[in-house]
Amino acid sequence: MAGLLARVKSKLFISSTLRSAHPLDGGYASLVRGRSLDFEDLRPYEAADEVRDIDWRATARAGEPMVRRSNAERRHTVLFVVDSGSGMRALARDEHAKKDLALLVVGALATLAVRHGDDVVLLHSDGGRARRFESRRSEGGIELMLRALDAAIDAAEVPAPRDELLRAVARTFARRMIVVLVTDEAPISAEGERELRRLRVQHDLVWLTLRDADPVLAVRSPGVRRDASTGWAVPEFLHGSAEVVAELQAQRAEADLRRAGLLDPLAITHATLDGQDTAVAALLRMLHRRAAHAR
């Protein structure tokens, strides 16, 4: 059986003999706020920074507090916090396995991180409890990380406790990291919002929503669609109802606005991914927005 990382690369058209042939490689720098590999660089002041690190000349030019980073800061750790509950066994919007979309996103960004000299760590749910997969800096390590995630999703019997995963990040990781949350469309709870506000002070957060398949199809279908977590079957007569489809689309649009309305004020970068064929383009758009915001 082909390795999981090999399947990710086949989706990205990345050759294992090249540093990277994909435009995501060029966009990766914006994930770490446009760092330089050769010189010290600057970034906007954040709440957790030391006042003594402010570059006052750069601050005067930029019109906002700017912090100078030292060489020691250039190696980053990218922490993937992944919803590995039973809901991840459902279909994504493209009607393919949502699990495969999660593996693609994590594998792609982890590969770019390793190729740029950064560490990657996985935190996921295993039996309803947070499980940490130690830092890796090799493609072999990424393969093992993806296999652990794949197995956890296959074995999951309950939805992932997203709020518990967020609490685990706060408890476990004291050093500043880039935290990439990979989850589904479930609403952010009040407790989850409190944890995000807490984490945002210490870490740089990225929120990736994997879009669920449409529960009701626009055309009648003889197949049965079931909820991956509860097993509840969608009544067949609902399929093909323009009124029901329109109402569900309106609810989804409203949920998207609520999510953005929570994440944007916290300066949490976010994107919504519909499927494997469009995921790379969506990630690129997100990275470009992030780079523009960092300038």
Side-chain angles (χ1 to χ4, degrees):
M1 181 178 69
L4 294 175
L5 187 56
R7 284 158 50 185
V8 168
K9 288 181 177 180
S10 71
K11 290 286 185 183
L12 294 175
F13 305 102
I14 296 178
S15 169
S16 60
T17 60
L18 299 175
R19 182 171 180 81
S20 177
H22 199 278
L24 262 181
D25 187 55
Y28 176 79
S30 64
L31 186 66
V32 293
R33 296 293 185 187
R35 66 175 174 185
S36 165
L37 296 177
D38 300 315
F39 305 99
E40 290 186 341
D41 55 346
L42 299 164
R43 62 166 169 79
Y45 177 87
E46 296 177 350
D49 293 328
E50 298 283 346
V51 174
R52 65 189 179 203
D53 292 332
I54 294 177
D55 186 312
W56 295 107
R57 289 187 179 181
T59 295
R61 291 193 301 269
E64 63 174 322
M66 301 294 292
V67 174
R68 180 175 292 277
R69 295 189 290 184
S70 65
N71 289 331
E73 289 183 281
R74 293 225 184 77
R75 174 165 288 157
H76 293 76
T77 298
V78 182
L79 170 63
F80 293 96
V81 180
V82 185
D83 175 348
S84 58
S86 56
M88 204 55 78
R89 293 204 304 271
L91 298 178
R93 186 74 182 278
D94 65 351
E95 297 291 321
H96 294 291
K98 191 161 50 171
K99 177 184 76 170
D100 291 342
L101 178 57
L103 293 173
L104 170 62
V105 170
V106 173
L109 294 179
T111 297
L112 296 176
V114 165
R115 290 181 176 185
H116 285 74
D118 294 326
D119 293 326
V120 294
V121 182
L122 172 67
L123 185 71
H124 68 93
S125 174
D126 188 359
R129 300 170 57 185
R131 180 65 61 90
R132 175 177 176 175
F133 194 88
E134 291 299 326
S135 176
R136 303 284 174 170
R137 204 182 297 163
S138 70
E139 291 194 354
I142 296 173
E143 175 69 28
L144 294 176
M145 186 175 77
L146 294 179
R147 290 183 184 183
L149 180 57
D150 182 64
I153 294 173
D154 284 345
E157 297 180 351
V158 297
R162 181 198 285 164
D163 295 344
E164 173 58 29
L165 286 174
L166 294 175
R167 286 193 296 271
V169 175
R171 290 195 308 264
T172 309
F173 301 96
R175 184 165 60 89
R176 185 174 180 82
M177 295 181 174
I178 300 162
V179 180
V180 180
L181 297 117
V182 181
T183 185
D184 60 16
E185 293 181 285
I188 301 173
S189 68
E191 183 178 355
E193 181 177 352
R194 287 193 295 271
E195 290 298 330
L196 286 174
R197 292 182 182 278
R198 177 184 177 189
L199 290 173
R200 183 63 187 88
V201 175
Q202 183 176 1
H203 301 289
D204 193 356
L205 304 184
V206 177
W207 184 286
L208 298 178
T209 301
L210 308 188
R211 184 80 82 188
D212 294 312
D214 296 324
V216 175
L217 299 175
V219 295
R220 288 196 176 276
S221 172
V224 177
R225 296 176 80 85
R226 295 183 180 274
D227 181 86
S229 297
T230 66
W232 181 81
V234 178
E236 188 174 330
F237 70 86
L238 292 177
H239 298 302
S241 170
E243 183 179 355
V244 172
V245 170
E247 182 175 349
L248 290 173
Q249 289 176 343
Q251 290 177 359
R252 174 172 274 169
E254 183 180 354
D256 288 346
L257 288 175
R258 285 199 301 269
R259 188 187 313 113
L262 189 156
L263 298 176
D264 285 340
L266 295 176
I268 297 175
T269 305
H270 60 93
T272 301
L273 310 178
D274 288 335
Q276 297 176 59
D277 290 342
T278 58
V280 171
L283 288 173
L284 274 172
R285 288 193 296 270
M286 180 196 75
L287 293 173
H288 290 158
R289 290 196 306 271
R290 185 177 171 92
H293 177 75
R295 286 196 289 269

